[in-house]
Every structure is written in structure tokens, then in C-alpha cells.
Amino acid sequence: MFTGKAIIPVRVLKPFGNWKEGDMILLEDWKAKELWEMGIVEIIDETDSVIGEIDRILNEERKNAPLSAIPEGLYEKAEFYIYYLERYVKTGGEGNIDVVHTKLMKLKNLKKKYRLLKEIRFNKILETVKLRPNRMEILSRLAPQERRIYLEISRIRNEWMGEENG
């Protein structure tokens, strides 16, 4: 599920290796998940920052017709914080109902905006495939997940149209 492409800030709760209690460090998403589940670290909630980044990209996507590049690791970071918030809410966090409620609202907002971003990007990828299938210059503007969609739909389109290379 997690790829290591998203870097997550954490606070060390228990000494671990060279880390001391209270240290703040950056970890790959899969490491942060494992250590958080073990109770060794606490996730520093950057959901608001991720939502802000998604909002910025949504505004750009609405203004610009062609596909534009998005920050590397954004999808992975959004998915990590969705996982984190879902688990936090499900387990009741530290028992503080106000914190749980706040995290639940963040979760709903993040899921909604993340879904909207994916829908807009998917529609733009479809439009791009119709007009410019299998173009290498397009690939540089796509996240790895999007590249796979673009290339596969381009292949299907070209096969359907009886074309070798768009």
C-alpha cells in the first residue's frame, strides 16, 4: 500500500535505535505506519498542509486546460493521511472526543478533495489520450499512477483505432 514516496514527520515516543524520546524525524510512509502502529512514534498531522496543496492544484487544474505537473508524492501523502485519520477516528484516538471530531472533519474534507482531484485529472488524461496518445512529453507531467492510466488507455485507443503510435 505505501511506497516510501511520501515523507511523513513523526515524533518519537519511545527510544528506538539512535532515536530518543521527543526527537522529531522524517520517515518514509511505510516506516511511519509500522512504527506508529507499534506505538514507537506519533504521527505529526499535516493533513491541513496536504489539503492546502490539493486545493492549490485544484485551482490550477480548473484554470489550465492541459495537464500540468503535480508535486511528486502528493497522491501517496494524501493516501497516508487518509489511512492515518481513518485509523485514528476508528480507534478513538486518545479518547478526546473533540480531537476525534476534528480529525473526522479533516478526513471527510481530505477524501472529498482527493477524489475531486483524481476525477479532474482522470478526465484530463482521457481528453489528452483522445488528442495526443502515447506522447512522451505528456508523461513528464504525470504522477506514476497517472502514467500507467495514460499509457494503458493510449494503447487501447490505438488498438481500437488501428494505429501503431497515435
Side-chain angles (χ1 to χ4, degrees):
M1 178 179 175
F2 296 115
T3 62
K5 292 186 179 176
I7 302 300
I8 308 298
V10 300
R11 183 176 297 111
V12 178
L13 297 175
K14 299 176 185 174
F16 187 79
N18 294 332
W19 303 335
K20 297 182 293 306
E21 182 179 341
D23 285 351
M24 292 183 51
I25 54 177
L26 299 173
L27 296 175
E28 294 173 319
D29 52 13
W30 67 272
K31 290 178 188 174
K33 173 189 180 287
E34 292 295 320
L35 294 173
W36 180 58
E37 289 178 351
M38 293 168 52
I40 294 171
V41 300
E42 164 188 44
I43 303 298
I44 296 173
D45 188 349
E46 289 195 335
T47 305
D48 292 334
S49 171
V50 173
I51 290 170
E53 187 71 13
I54 291 173
D55 278 338
R56 184 185 66 72
I57 293 164
L58 284 171
N59 286 335
E60 283 179 23
E61 290 294 324
R62 288 181 182 119
K63 284 188 242 174
N64 300 324
L67 279 163
S68 55
I70 63 171
E72 188 175 331
L74 178 65
Y75 287 139
E76 291 86 356
K77 206 168 219 185
E79 288 171 10
F80 178 86
Y81 282 106
I82 288 170
Y83 151 80
Y84 162 72
L85 292 170
E86 283 177 341
R87 179 144 179 167
Y88 190 97
V89 167
K90 185 185 284 184
T91 61
E94 290 100 41
N96 183 331
I97 193 70
D98 292 333
V99 172
V100 172
H101 180 73
T102 299
K103 301 260 188 203
L104 181 60
M105 293 300 104
K106 284 183 182 187
L107 174 61
K108 287 180 179 180
N109 193 18
L110 177 57
K111 279 183 159 182
K112 179 178 140 197
K113 290 182 182 203
Y114 183 52
R115 172 117 180 131
L116 180 58
L117 175 64
K118 287 171 89 174
E119 286 174 5
I120 288 172
R121 297 287 292 182
F122 184 73
N123 287 332
K124 283 190 173 191
I125 289 168
L126 288 176
E127 193 62 33
T128 303
V129 167
K130 285 190 328 192
L131 302 173
R132 302 177 69 201
N134 281 336
R135 297 289 193 257
M136 295 307 286
E137 71 273 10
I138 300 294
L139 295 178
S140 66
R141 296 185 228 152
L142 302 175
Q145 304 88 326
E146 295 171 338
R147 282 186 205 120
R148 192 178 63 117
I149 293 166
Y150 175 76
L151 290 171
E152 190 63 22
I153 294 174
S154 289
R155 183 191 63 75
I156 292 167
R157 178 232 178 254
N158 290 347
E159 185 179 288
W160 175 258
M161 300 300 287
E163 299 172 2
E164 287 294 317
N165 281 334

